[in-house]
Amino acid sequence: MAAISLARLRSRVETLARFGALSGGGVTRTCWSPQHEEARAWLLGEIRAAGLEAWVDPAGNVFGAVGTRAFGADAPAVLTGSHIDTVPEGGILDGALGVLAGLEALQTIREAQAPHRRPLAVAAWSDEEGRYGSLFGSRAFCGRLDLTRVEAMTAVDGERLVDAMARAGFDPRRVGEATAPAGAVAAYVELHIEQGPRLEEARIPIGVVDSIVGVRRTRVAFVGQADHAGTTPMERRRDGFLAAAEYALKARELVVKHGGGKSVTNVGVVRVHPGVTNIVPARGELVHELRGPDPETLAGLDRRSVSLARRVARRRGIDVEIQPMSATEPAICSARVQAAIEQACATLGIPSTRLYSAAGHDAQNLAAITDAGMIFIPSKGGRSHRVDEMSDWDAIERGANVLLHTLLGLAA
Ligand code: HGY
Ligand code: MN
Ligand code: MN
């Protein structure tokens, strides 16, 4: 029975972790950055050294393939993959595991000359973490990117996507050419760390994902009045930051109360203007993120949040600007792919359980154009999006072998 080489996979994971490595551990490798582009070049070299066809599309997606040099409806490919970009101060497995385990599975299949009727490919999708716009590369590939918005896509620190792409040698005007031909993908399966505590606490080695949360991000800015921080009487202050703070606290209560138990909310970006200690903040701006597996609940929370923002501003006698930034819909994973994962687990004698993904993933875009699914392995302490994110190597080996057999099953 074909089996991956953990030594080779581990060596690649530890090498990729060096691109953007932080002195205290973990990694910062945001898409299109110099360290990301060095990692892209390294990955292309590894794909070629593994004997696979290698190419990059105009949206910066990297591909490796066995049995094809491009995507086409005449030979629908079974596709796996994930991303090599990271959040700032992230871990070494989020995304990297799925790309490198996919490469390892395809290399093992090629070396073992394991039979597969369909071509097999692995992808490293651009900017999954959404520094400029979430799930960018897989949205482009799946024809779900609003090309008219590419020009305006900007990171929270103000860097424009078009400038970052140009610096990395890509022409942003060609992104639309990355759209895959209809029918080019026969199935998609992605291996990823769970990034949460459920599998580890249940002591179950493999998660078969049945749905993936939708994520909505909205910029909310409360606009009051700058004033002298010392001389302005307290009752006369129109403080944009305090309004934002009240909104953030009440939005959390709202989601806990009306979110159905599986919805979550976060405020990870806050900006105060003018932002110096001796001026009452005129403007308090935040990015409000809502997530949930159920579309109606998510839409309801969005509406309630907008009403809350207006109520807080009115009560404080200030203005509020509400600007939706991005919204992904919850995705249902393919029953066929879930069954193929469970068949692989049965073949390998590995217990599995079904669960929803509380993180967003590229698979939710692939679910729009093909049968898509995900395999999860446990995260130590449920830790992710932090430098000490890690999984046991035997969990990584199990996940990669389940991926290998799932791919063979889907490509049979
Ligand atoms: O934010 C997410 O859900 C994913 O890790 N990009
Ligand atoms: Mn992530
Ligand atoms: Mn990820």
Side-chain angles (χ1 to χ4, degrees):
M1 185 184 326
I4 61 110
S5 158
L6 179 62
R8 189 165 61 186
L9 174 54
R10 178 166 187 162
S11 164
R12 286 188 172 131
V13 168
E14 289 172 345
T15 304
L16 179 54
R18 290 191 210 132
F19 297 98
L22 302 170
S23 53
V27 63
T28 296
R29 192 172 55 238
T30 53
C31 200
W32 318 105
S33 66
Q35 52 273 33
H36 180 277
E37 294 313 300
E38 286 168 28
R40 179 202 302 282
W42 170 82
L43 177 63
L44 282 163
E46 289 296 301
I47 290 170
R48 291 190 181 103
L52 278 60
E53 293 295 336
W55 71 94
V56 186
D57 76 11
N61 298 313
V62 174
F63 295 101
V66 175
T68 184
R69 299 170 61 105
F71 290 105
D74 53 329
V78 171
L79 182 56
T80 185
S82 198
H83 56 94
I84 62 168
D85 67 289
T86 75
V87 292
E89 301 179 31
I92 68 168
L93 292 179
D94 177 0
L97 173 66
V99 173
L100 297 180
L103 170 57
E104 175 57 33
L106 266 53
Q107 182 171 3
T108 302
I109 288 168
R110 182 180 171 277
E111 287 169 349
Q113 296 179 335
H116 57 95
R117 191 164 57 85
R118 294 198 180 285
L120 290 160
V122 56
W125 305 110
S126 297
D127 201 10
E128 187 278 343
E129 298 292 1
R131 168 169 160 77
Y132 304 93
S134 77
L135 309 179
F136 175 78
S138 59
R139 273 196 286 159
F141 182 80
C142 299
R144 309 185 89 194
L145 184 67
D146 177 352
L147 298 175
T148 63
R149 291 190 55 193
V150 169
E151 186 69 26
M153 290 169 84
T154 304
V156 285
D157 62 10
E159 189 186 23
R160 298 169 66 225
L161 170 64
V162 292
D163 297 334
M165 287 186 76
R167 184 189 63 218
F170 288 83
D171 179 352
R173 293 163 301 179
R174 294 190 50 217
V175 165
E177 297 168 32
T179 305
V185 182
Y188 178 77
V189 58
E190 176 172 351
L191 173 65
H192 207 287
I193 51 174
E194 180 202 333
Q195 299 183 287
R198 292 170 290 169
L199 288 176
E200 183 180 67
E201 288 172 3
R203 297 184 187 287
I204 297 176
I206 292 288
V208 181
V209 176
D210 53 19
S211 70
I212 303 170
V213 292
V215 184
R216 291 176 182 231
R217 293 181 179 128
T218 306
R219 192 185 305 279
V220 184
F222 291 90
V223 184
Q225 170 66 48
D227 268 313
H228 193 294
T231 57
T232 309
M234 289 304 282
E235 70 282 1
R236 288 190 206 163
R237 298 181 183 204
R238 298 172 65 227
D239 186 326
F241 165 69
L242 286 183
E246 178 183 352
Y247 172 78
L249 288 169
K250 288 185 172 168
R252 185 187 183 285
E253 289 167 24
L254 181 158
V255 169
V256 170
K257 192 171 172 197
H258 301 287
K262 290 183 177 176
S263 307
V264 295
T265 184
N266 188 51
V267 174
V269 175
V270 179
R271 278 210 293 237
V272 175
H273 184 83
V276 293
T277 178
N278 57 358
I279 303 177
V280 173
R283 185 182 179 89
E285 179 178 308
L286 51 78
V287 174
H288 180 201
E289 184 178 282
L290 284 167
R291 299 177 185 234
D294 174 66
E296 286 70 43
T297 306
L298 194 56
L301 291 173
D302 211 351
R303 286 193 299 275
R304 288 175 183 273
S305 301
V306 169
S307 310
L308 170 64
R310 293 194 175 123
R311 235 181 2 263
V312 168
R314 201 168 37 250
R315 208 176 55 71
R316 288 174 171 268
I318 64 176
D319 297 323
V320 65
E321 298 162 3
I322 301 167
Q323 179 202 356
M325 292 170 68
S326 68
T328 62
E329 287 308 308
I332 302 297
C333 294
S334 147
R336 178 167 77 94
V337 174
Q338 291 182 59
I341 299 168
E342 287 168 341
Q343 180 55 55
C345 290
T347 303
L348 294 165
I350 299 174
S352 68
T353 185
R354 293 196 177 185
L355 78 174
Y356 76 94
S357 171
H361 293 287
D362 293 305
Q364 60 201 105
N365 282 320
L366 275 295
I369 67 163
T370 189
D371 286 337
M374 294 188 77
I375 304 163
F376 274 178
I377 63 167
S379 293
K380 279 184 173 176
R383 297 189 297 268
S384 183
H385 280 191
R386 48 190 275 191
V387 295
D388 57 352
E389 166 193 285
M390 199 52 201
S391 298
D392 289 331
W393 286 104
D394 58 6
I396 289 170
E397 184 174 29
R398 275 193 293 270
N401 276 319
V402 169
L403 176 67
L404 168 66
H405 287 275
T406 304
L407 289 169
L408 285 173
L410 291 169

